[in-house]
């Protein structure tokens, strides 16, 4: 193989610097082997938005001529490795750059490797990933998703650990030796080199069969051509009539845009304790995504097709633990919590307790000056 | 085809044209202001810059005299001036606007989006040299700058033609097959600050020619809650541009229809797109736009008296560009001399824009005339009949294989 | 003729009567801005759009200048709007509102469109409103014959184009055009423009100018309703915490708005028919019933100020103190009496 490409799928803004470090690291390491390459972000993802899935790429070739065909492309589509910087992206990504939900392994070439940072088991992750139809490997770097900000980077070595893992799963792109040399030159920090080497040793690969994975059909949108599009740059607005949902008479479910759902942005979702809810309206009133449906009995039910998991509802709720943000990986569907609660109040209470208890820490980025240094100290302890 | 002779002997009837018209001594700007009144334009925005502002002075006076009713807004810049009417047009209002020179350029962003949004604004450009040094006189570079954007562009040579073209412009621009803006170029000074006898039609005549503006399902209104111009990237741009390309193509037939109907109802209007003057047996043709027509026609008559087979083809519409008409009119000649009242520094053979477009239009012809590229009359400098005779002489020279080069551009009437 | 004309003009100044909602539980269910937008998690400007659409109701037209609320908020086939919306150019907020209002008025006046009061709302970010579009907004506020609202959603940078400094960015903020470096820590040395007060002071015929913050949603909606009811051109300036450009966890969007008000950095006031009314915490700051929180509590929560030294924070505090202790009208109009 004379040209190889690495795709990095990450959370916009929060992981932008990390993705850039990885892609640059690949190209600079490949350079040590006399190869030539480019690192780039998918142009249509930019300007990035917080949490919205985005991509960056590294393409390396043996010669400039071989590289040329990649120099004017937005998105390589037959990647040797797809790095997934946050395991909640495994459910599929809906980004700026296309319409519909793209399975996380869609642009991974046959026999390629999906490298995911996760604290979950391979078997659990595979269940959330769409079935590819051809075999590939799943490699897990044991780590929580590293979210930092735009201006303050959380340098917890996740970037170099992923580079170390890459050298293990795809030595034909870059060797560990080249990776460590590049890291050493770039950061002048031997502890980062050590982190990369450790990840090289620790990364575990699992073969994934062609038929393994989720059989859910990713939602899609078929783009009309110019004879079907309205002229004058006109599109129809969203229907002003609320949706008619069986069992919701007397409630209010606003009509929503069917082409962009935004839920793949979510890394945490609010779970609501309807037993303690006082119907104060603040979650509903403060949601920037208009995601709360009003139930027939006057509760506010976060619609999981529209919620992007910002956490404002939890922050504004005046009742302790009435709204709790829980790791998105704990959920397998986007079903209504209120419907679940009305069907089986006791069952819902048990479900709620379990979801809240099983709550691996997830961060949304910057909280205060000095925070990342404290977190890194905690993590290394 | 209009017979060359008939055009040559045309006289303005003392009693005006068809019954219902009145005769007025007015400028081209004032003639267009009358169209605003007769078309019952809803929103007009003004901002001062010479020389187009004469149209707005007239509009303002008509409103204050109670002759005309519209929302008349004096904006705080040309950018706002064009943006205001752009948005008024989107809610279904008939609009009028205009500018000159760098004022037109200050509005450039608005000009681009107006065409992109398919809003049928009609604007007057009082053609003026670009700054610096702030000359007031005519150059065509201002209006020509929007030639790639979807604007329809007409150049007129008389105040009467300004009036007639403005009426036709509303009809074409607001045709749902087109929905593109149209600018009518009037040479600064000669049309904006000079008065001539003009037949002004009656309201009934105009109502019989110009239907109301109906934006239908594209109208921005609470009864039609649409989203207009949401942001789009490479997934959609080609399709959107292609739609506008088709609209610009369709404009051609709509213009032809409009001239036919205008001719039937008003008894004038002439051939759409171009005017042919003594072209029937012409071996050498002069080509130009706007008020250049006057000295050119004088020169053509003088040369005809000397037995020279020379004619004149005036480009009336630059967008859509009359490719077929020009091929037809000029295909049989031996040489064409183009008089550009504009420049395109560093372009092919250093020609002006009209020459470059024309050269491209004639390229597919099996037997192509030779082309002499000239630039004259910049900044409003007078182009005299003698200048034109000199230019025609160059065309005869090139036709006979003389020293004049097809691969250069000649500046006429410039001091060395 | 003249008198009839005047009467005619008066008729067309009628507005919708939008009474204030007395508390969050009185806010109606109907939404006119839902989903489809691709804004950041915790985007307070999207939240403001939702509140604005709700407050204005179905007989409204919205014009959106280039900015996040265009590029991220309203994309092809991904519109969140249930009410008519149209893009306008970055510097055209005032012109878009004026043109739309003028078009409607002309058509209704001439009997070409059914006569009814339709809300015209034009929105812009700080790039569109505080920088490029200021001139057109000023002009729009002079045309008292048109009913329109200009709503400025201020997230304190050109966040849409990747966070560049604007005339509304706070002193010292890290943006992609004012990134602190080895030689210079503070690249952005301009003090934030006092936009709402400038427009109120400069346009005495404008009946309503207000500042709002999305952290107080009912107040923000009622401000929009008042602006649309009062007649003529009106202006509202909203401070919208921006998790992307300010660099903070999106869940704090609401809280940072509150802190901005409580530190005195963002004063809440209305200028209605020429009368200034402070409201909320800002009113209590002026009356001495609420002690301003130190600006440090605001600055240290945001990555854009993470490079600040104590000296920078003290400078910021001193400038903020000046607003409340030295200004002619505290928090609103600068200059003291000579």
């Amino acid at each position: 193989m004379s040209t190889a490409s690495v795709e990095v799928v990450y959370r916009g803004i929060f992981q932008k610097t990390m993705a850039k470090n990885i892609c640059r690291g690949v190209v600079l390491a490949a350079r040590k082997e006399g190869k030539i390459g480019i690192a780039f972000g998918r142009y249509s993802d930019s300007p990035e938005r917080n949490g919205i899935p985005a991509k960056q790429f590294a393409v390396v070739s043996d010669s400039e001529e071989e590289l040329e065909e990649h120099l004017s492309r937005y998105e390589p589509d037959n990647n040797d490795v797809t790095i997934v910087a946050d395991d909640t992206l495994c459910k599929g990504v809906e980004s700026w750059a296309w319409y519909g939900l793209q399975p996380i392994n869609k642009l991974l070439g046959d026999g390629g490797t999906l490298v995911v940072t996760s604290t979950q088991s391979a078997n659990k992750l595979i269940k959330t990933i769409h079935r590819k139809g051809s075999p590939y490997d799943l490699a897990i770097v044991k780590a929580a998703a590293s979210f930092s900000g735009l201006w303050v980077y959380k340098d917890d070595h996740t970037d170099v650990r992923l580079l170390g893992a890459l050298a293990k799963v795809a030595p034909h792109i870059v060797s560990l030796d080249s990776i460590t040399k590049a890291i050493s030159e770039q950061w002048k920090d031997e502890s980062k080199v050590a982190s990369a080497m450790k990840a090289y040793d620790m990364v575990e690969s699992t073969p994934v069969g062609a038929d393994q994975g989720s059989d859910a059909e990713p939602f899609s949108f078929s783009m009309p051509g110019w004879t079907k599009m309205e002229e004058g740059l006109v599109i129809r607005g969203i229907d002003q009539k609320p949706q008619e949902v069986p069992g919701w008479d007397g409630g209010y479910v606003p009509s929503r845009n069917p082409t962009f759902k935004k839920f793949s942005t979510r890394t945490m979702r609010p779970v609501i304790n309807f037993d303690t809810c006082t119907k104060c309206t603040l979650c509903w009133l403060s949601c920037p995504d208009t995601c709360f449906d009003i139930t027939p009995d006057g509760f506010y039910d976060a619609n999981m097709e529209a919620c992007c998991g910002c956490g404002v509802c939890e922050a504004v709720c005046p009742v302790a633990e009435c709204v709790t943000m829980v790791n998105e990986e704990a959920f397998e569907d986007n079903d209504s919590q209120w419907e679940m609660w009305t069907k089986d109040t006791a069952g819902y209470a048990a479900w709620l307790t379990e979801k809240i208890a099983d709550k691996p820490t997830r961060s949304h980025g910057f909280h205060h000056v000095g925070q990342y240094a404290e977190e890194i100290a905690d993590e290394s302890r | 085809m209009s017979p060359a002779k008939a055009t040559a002997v045309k006289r303005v009837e003392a009693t005006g044209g068809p019954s219902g018209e009145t005769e007025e001594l007015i400028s081209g700007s004032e003639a267009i202001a009358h169209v605003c009144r007769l078309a019952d334009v809803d929103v007009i925005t003004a901002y001062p810059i010479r020389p187009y502002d004469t149209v707005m002075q007239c509009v303002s006076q008509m409103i204050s005299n109670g002759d005309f009713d519209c929302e008349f807004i004096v904006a705080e810049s040309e950018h706002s001036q064009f943006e205001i009417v752009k948005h008024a047009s989107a809610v279904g209002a008939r609009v009028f606007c205009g500018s000159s020179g760098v004022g037109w350029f200050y509005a450039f962003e608005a000009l681009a989006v107006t065409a992109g949004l398919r809003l049928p604004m009609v604007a007057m450009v009082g053609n003026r040299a670009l700054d610096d040094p702030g000359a007031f006189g005519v150059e065509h570079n201002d209006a020509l700058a929007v030639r790639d954007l979807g604007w329809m562009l007409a150049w007129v040579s008389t105040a009467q033609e300004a009036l007639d073209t403005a009426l036709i412009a509303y009809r074409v621009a607001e045709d749902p097959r087109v929905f593109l803006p149209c600018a009518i170029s009037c040479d600064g000074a000669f049309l904006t600050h000079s008065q001539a006898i003009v037949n002004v039609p009656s309201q009934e005549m105009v109502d019989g020619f110009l239907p109301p503006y109906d934006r239908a399902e594209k109208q921005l209104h609470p009864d039609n809650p649409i989203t207009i111009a949401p942001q789009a990237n490479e997934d959609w741009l080609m399709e959107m541009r292609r739609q506008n390309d088709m609209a610009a193509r369709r404009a051609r037939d709509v213009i032809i229809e409009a001239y036919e109907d205008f001719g039937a109802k008003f008894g004038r209007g002439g051939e759409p797109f171009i005017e042919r003057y003594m072209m029937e047996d012409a071996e050498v043709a002069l080509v130009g736009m706007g008020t250049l027509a006057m000295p050119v026609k004088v020169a053509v008559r003088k040369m005809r008296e000397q037995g020279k087979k020379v004619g004149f083809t005036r480009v009336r519409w630059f967008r859509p560009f009359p490719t077929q008409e020009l091929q037809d009119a000029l295909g049989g000649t031996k040489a064409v001399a183009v008089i550009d009242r504009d420049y395109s520094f560093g372009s092919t053979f250093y020609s002006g824009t009209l020459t470059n477009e024309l050269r491209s239009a004639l390229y597919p012809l099996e037997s192509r005339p030779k082309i002499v590229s000239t630039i004259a009359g910049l900044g409003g400098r007078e182009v005299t009949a003698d200048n034109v005779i000199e230019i025609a002489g160059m065309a005869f020279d090139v036709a006979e294989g003389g020293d004049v080069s097809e691969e250069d551009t000649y500046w006429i009437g410039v001091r060395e | 003729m003249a008198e009839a004309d005047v009467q005619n003009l008066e008729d067309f100044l009628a507005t919708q009567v939008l009474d204030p909602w007395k508390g969050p539980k009185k806010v109606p269910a109907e939404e006119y801005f839902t989903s489809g937008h691709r804004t950041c998690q915790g985007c307070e400007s999207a939240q403001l759009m939702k509140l604005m659409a709700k407050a204005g109701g179905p007989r409204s037209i919205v014009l959106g200048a280039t900015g996040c609320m265009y590029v991220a908020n309203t994309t092809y086939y991904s519109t969140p709007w249930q009410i008519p919306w149209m893009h306008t150019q970055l510097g055209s907020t005032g012109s878009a509102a004026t043109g739309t209002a003028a078009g409607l008025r002309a058509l209704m006046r001439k009997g070409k469109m059914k006569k009814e009061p339709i809300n015209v709302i034009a929105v812009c970010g700080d790039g569109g409103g505080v920088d490029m579009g200021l001139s057109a907004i000023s002009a729009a506020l002079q045309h008292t014959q048109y009913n329109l609202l200009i709503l400025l959603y201020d997230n304190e940078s050109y966040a849409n184009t990747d966070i560049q400094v604007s005339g509304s960015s706070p002193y010292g903020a890290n943006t992609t055009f004012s990134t602190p470096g080895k030689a210079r820590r503070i690249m952005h040395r301009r003090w934030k423009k006092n936009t709402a007060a400038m427009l109120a002071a400069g346009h005495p015929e404008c009946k309503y100018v207000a500042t709002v913050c999305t952290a107080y949603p009912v107040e923000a909606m009622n401000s929009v309703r008042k602006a649309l009811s009062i007649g003529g051109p009106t202006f509202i300036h909203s401070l919208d915490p921006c998790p992307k450009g300010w660099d903070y966890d999106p869940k704090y969007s609401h809280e940072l708005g509150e802190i901005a008000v409580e530190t005195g950095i963002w004063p809440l006031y209305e200028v209605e028919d020429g009368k200034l009314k402070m409201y909320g915490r800002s009113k209590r700051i002026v009356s001495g019933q609420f002690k301003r929180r130190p600006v440090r509590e605001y600055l240290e929560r945001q990555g854009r100020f993470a490079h600040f030294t104590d000296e920078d924070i003290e400078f910021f505090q001193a400038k903020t103190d000046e607003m409340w202790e030295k200004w002619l009208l505290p928090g609103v109009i600068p200059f003291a009496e000579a």
Side-chain angles (χ1 to χ4, degrees), chain B residues 11 39 66 68 90 93 96 100 167 183 189 236 306 327 342 363 366 377 414:
Chain B
R11 296 282 182 272
F68 171 36
F96 177 74
S100 291
L167 275 175
W236 301 105
Q306 295 162 2
Q327 287 179 339
D342 66 274
Y363 187 80
E366 294 224 350
V414 65

Side-chain angles (χ1 to χ4, degrees), chain B residues 40 42 69 71 76 87, chain C residues 76 85 88 110 112 135 146:
Chain B
D40 192 27
D42 300 308
D69 180 19
E71 297 294 318
E76 98 301 342
H87 283 280
Chain C
Y76 202 57
W85 179 95
T88 194
K110 293 181 173 189
K112 297 180 187 177
S135 150
Y146 301 125

Side-chain angles (χ1 to χ4, degrees), chain A residues 145-166:
Chain A
S146 172
F147 283 3
S148 53
L150 192 69
W151 307 125
V152 192
Y153 181 52
K154 181 181 180 182
D155 192 2
D156 58 6
H157 295 200
T158 305
D159 44 13
V160 293
R161 295 179 68 199
L162 284 163
L163 283 168
L166 178 75

Side-chain angles (χ1 to χ4, degrees), chain C residues 185-244:
Chain C
R185 188 178 69 257
I186 303 293
M187 284 286 281
H188 170 52
R189 294 188 166 272
R190 291 185 274 160
W191 195 256
K192 184 181 172 78
K193 255 189 229 183
N194 188 19
T195 307
M198 162 174 50
L199 291 173
H203 304 84
E205 295 294 302
C206 168
K207 288 187 189 162
Y208 188 77
V209 171
T211 61
V212 301
C213 179
T214 39
Y216 306 96
V218 177
E219 287 82 350
M221 284 190 287
N222 284 338
S223 183
V224 168
R225 289 171 74 78
K226 192 182 283 182
L228 294 171
S229 302
I230 204 165
T234 53
F235 178 81
I236 297 176
H237 188 170
S238 174
L239 181 75
D240 298 354
C242 169
K244 170 182 166 182

Side-chain angles (χ1 to χ4, degrees), chain B residues 353-374:
Chain B
T353 298
L354 180 59
T355 305
N356 283 330
E357 292 261 350
L358 182 73
R359 200 185 273 127
S360 162
L362 300 186
Y363 187 80
L365 294 180
E366 294 224 350
S367 142
R368 288 191 292 271
K370 291 184 178 288
I371 292 179
V372 177
S373 165
T374 74

